Amino acid sequence: MLQTVDVGERSLETYRGVAPGEILDEILRHAEDLRGARVLHLNATPYGGGVSELLRSLVPLLNDLGVAADWKVISGDDAFFHVTKTMHNALQGAARTLGEEEKHTYLKNSRQNAANLEEEYDFVFVHDPQPAAILPMRGRGEARWIWRCHIDTSSPERGVWEFLRGYLGDYDAAVFTMQEFVPPDLPVGRVEIIPPAIDPLSPKNLPLAESIARQVLDWIGVRLSQPFITQVSRFDPWKDPLGVIEAYRLVREEVPGLQLALVGSMALDDPEGWEIYRQIQEAATNDPLVHVFTNLTGVGNIEVNAFQRLSEVMVQKSIREGFGLVVSEALWKGTPVVAGRAGGIPLQMADGVGGILIESVEECAEAILQLLRDPRRAGELGARGRERVREHFLLPRLLLNELSLMEELAR
Ligand code: UDP
């Protein structure tokens, strides 16, 4: 059996007054038709990264609507997760290929996972490439199958894409964050564009009094009497944490007491993270103003919430990005963001709304400096960003999009 992830109970009604009311009403209308439907969300990790973040919120809400939703994670050996990380990187355009043995590892683990998926469902959402090959190996059963791709697959490495696409042909639909991400020769007839969203009521995003946020950060060693900027993301080369340190060092020449916090999580399916973590620690050695925190040392949702509230500026210097939930998370707290012009980030913030988009270390430093020097403009950008998130990137909108898709697929 595949591992089922335990989730809490949620009620859609608690989103009234937080998310747009017309979306909540529409959800209730659509949910009528799907009452009792069995839905599975399948991914590779129960923690770390945006997909697990989404599912932890989405699955309980589906259940609240009378849909019988499960969240399960696949399993695999270390070799499998090395291969899937290579695939992830290659699909985002890195010049990485898969040898015969790596393909064999992927298929062997996929076959095992396919055999372990015993239950029957009406809809199966398969997230990202790690579990993608399960469908042709297991057979569709009674379900409609949806491949939900969260990464930027606009210009994938050819060989790896050819390999993966061989397992996608049976899907009923594929969902991408942006039209630009739809890869060449996708063998799936139906394509939907649905951007992710953040949960305004999760511990990471719910309102947190400033005094508590301050206590939380004081407790872990941030100097509250000095300003700080933060990047929150997996330790991944595409998130460019070393570039963040470079940009920060440039800014610090002008703002000597400025601190940098790099908050990163280690995900079960991300073996590369450890090496990047080592490189970051090396770059930060002997610098008491650079703080490196991880989920492994107890920095979790509440701490991230506090960082996103109290940082002068949040940084997300991605070079490639699927969506970048962290951008909406920061904007929801009214904090301005300096972020790479990559993937789904410009969708969330345009120049003048939310913060400043950048494309190099120098631009990043310049943008941070501008916002530090002009707190009024920073505040206005953050406030406009929050409005944009409220309108477009809160969880009920995502839920509505997915319910509509299921309804249409059931016809
Ligand atoms: N995150 C976290 N702690 C960390 C680093 C990341 O809780 O130390 C969360 C972050 O708040 C966000 C998610 O992990 O909710 C990352 O999602 P995003 O879409 O930004 O990037 P992904 O990891 O999916 O590429």
Side-chain angles (χ1 to χ4, degrees):
M1 281 225 310
L2 295 183
Q3 182 198 339
T4 301
V5 183
D6 287 335
V7 292
E9 284 186 15
R10 308 302 297 274
S11 155
L12 186 70
E13 281 310 311
T14 55
Y15 291 77
R16 264 197 212 277
V18 183
E22 45 306 351
I23 294 188
L24 302 182
D25 295 337
E26 227 185 307
I27 288 174
L28 293 173
R29 282 196 294 277
H30 283 266
E32 274 304 304
D33 290 350
L34 289 162
R35 208 165 272 279
R38 299 160 302 170
V39 176
L40 173 64
H41 281 274
L42 188 59
N43 83 320
T45 175
Y47 63 87
V51 178
S52 47
E53 192 77 21
L54 282 177
L55 295 183
R56 189 159 292 288
S57 293
L58 197 65
V59 169
L61 277 183
L62 284 167
N63 284 318
D64 178 54
L65 293 170
V67 173
D70 280 341
W71 171 11
K72 288 182 186 288
V73 290
I74 57 168
S75 60
D77 50 25
D78 289 352
F80 174 71
F81 287 121
H82 271 103
V83 172
T84 56
K85 191 67 203 282
T86 301
M87 290 173 74
H88 172 100
N89 287 334
L91 291 167
Q92 293 220 111
R96 306 279 293 274
T97 54
L98 292 179
E100 283 315 306
E101 196 175 328
E102 290 172 302
K103 291 179 182 171
H104 174 76
T105 297
Y106 179 73
L107 297 177
K108 187 182 79 183
N109 282 269
S110 299
R111 225 169 273 123
Q112 188 59 49
N113 282 310
N116 288 342
L117 176 52
E118 293 162 356
E119 299 87 340
E120 283 300 328
Y121 291 94
D122 299 305
F123 300 93
V124 181
F125 286 82
V126 175
H127 294 265
D128 283 335
Q130 299 94 324
I134 289 180
L135 165 55
M137 291 175 177
R138 178 188 180 278
R140 60 173 43 256
E142 299 161 14
R144 306 279 196 282
W145 287 69
I146 300 116
W147 186 52
R148 198 335 168 181
C149 179
H150 293 270
I151 58 182
D152 175 353
T153 40
S154 51
S155 44
E157 193 282 326
R158 259 222 92 71
V160 173
W161 170 236
E162 278 304 314
F163 174 66
L164 179 67
R165 80 184 277 285
Y167 300 95
L168 298 177
D170 291 346
Y171 281 90
D172 297 287
V175 179
F176 296 87
T177 295
M178 300 171 74
Q179 187 65 45
E180 291 86 332
F181 290 179
V182 181
D185 327 319
L186 179 73
V188 184
R190 183 183 186 114
V191 173
E192 294 287 329
I193 306 301
I194 305 179
I198 62 160
D199 183 351
L201 301 183
S202 72
K204 178 170 293 163
N205 296 318
L206 48 70
L208 190 63
E210 183 175 337
S211 61
I212 296 182
R214 290 179 67 85
Q215 282 179 49
V216 165
L217 295 190
D218 188 28
W219 178 257
I220 60 174
V222 177
R223 302 178 188 178
L224 295 175
S225 54
Q226 291 167 231
F228 53 94
I229 58 174
T230 307
Q231 173 160 302
V232 174
S233 55
R234 282 181 300 107
F235 292 136
D236 179 309
W238 301 114
K239 315 277 187 186
D240 198 17
L242 298 175
V244 176
I245 296 178
E246 276 183 64
Y248 159 76
R249 294 229 152 103
L250 291 176
V251 181
R252 209 167 100 188
E253 289 172 11
E254 309 286 326
V255 187
L258 185 68
Q259 299 167 90
L260 169 67
L262 288 169
V263 182
S265 58
M266 301 296 185
L268 198 64
D269 62 343
D270 188 4
E272 216 176 17
W274 295 98
E275 172 54 22
I276 309 282
Y277 182 47
R278 195 192 59 70
Q279 292 173 14
I280 292 172
Q281 289 211 302
E282 201 175 289
T285 311
N286 298 330
D287 191 338
L289 295 186
V290 178
H291 310 281
V292 183
F293 298 108
T294 80
N295 53 336
L296 300 177
T297 52
V299 171
N301 289 329
I302 299 295
E303 287 79 5
V304 169
N305 189 334
F307 273 114
Q308 290 170 334
R309 264 171 219 288
L310 296 186
S311 292
E312 305 290 326
V313 173
M314 289 298 294
V315 183
Q316 188 54 43
K317 205 196 154 299
S318 303
I319 298 164
R320 281 285 156 80
E321 188 57 79
F323 182 69
L325 286 176
V326 283
V327 170
S328 279
E329 289 168 1
L331 296 180
W332 180 241
K333 292 150 190 132
T335 303
V337 179
V338 168
R341 193 185 291 279
I345 291 176
L347 202 64
Q348 301 172 71
M349 48 184 272
D351 286 324
V353 180
I356 302 177
L357 294 166
I358 50 96
E359 292 186 46
S360 67
V361 167
E362 291 72 25
E363 281 181 22
C364 183
E366 176 57 33
I368 294 169
L369 199 55
Q370 277 181 26
L371 295 180
L372 290 176
R373 286 186 169 152
D374 191 349
R376 205 174 125 190
R377 176 172 167 227
E380 284 167 6
L381 285 172
R384 272 184 239 127
R386 178 176 162 93
E387 246 339 276
R388 179 158 176 78
V389 172
R390 205 181 86 80
E391 257 177 63
H392 299 284
F393 301 114
L394 294 185
L395 190 68
R397 191 271 303 146
L398 173 64
L399 180 61
L400 176 60
N401 291 159
E402 294 198 350
L403 291 174
S404 308
L405 175 61
M406 285 192 275
E407 251 184 322
E408 285 171 27
L409 289 175
R411 283 199 188 119

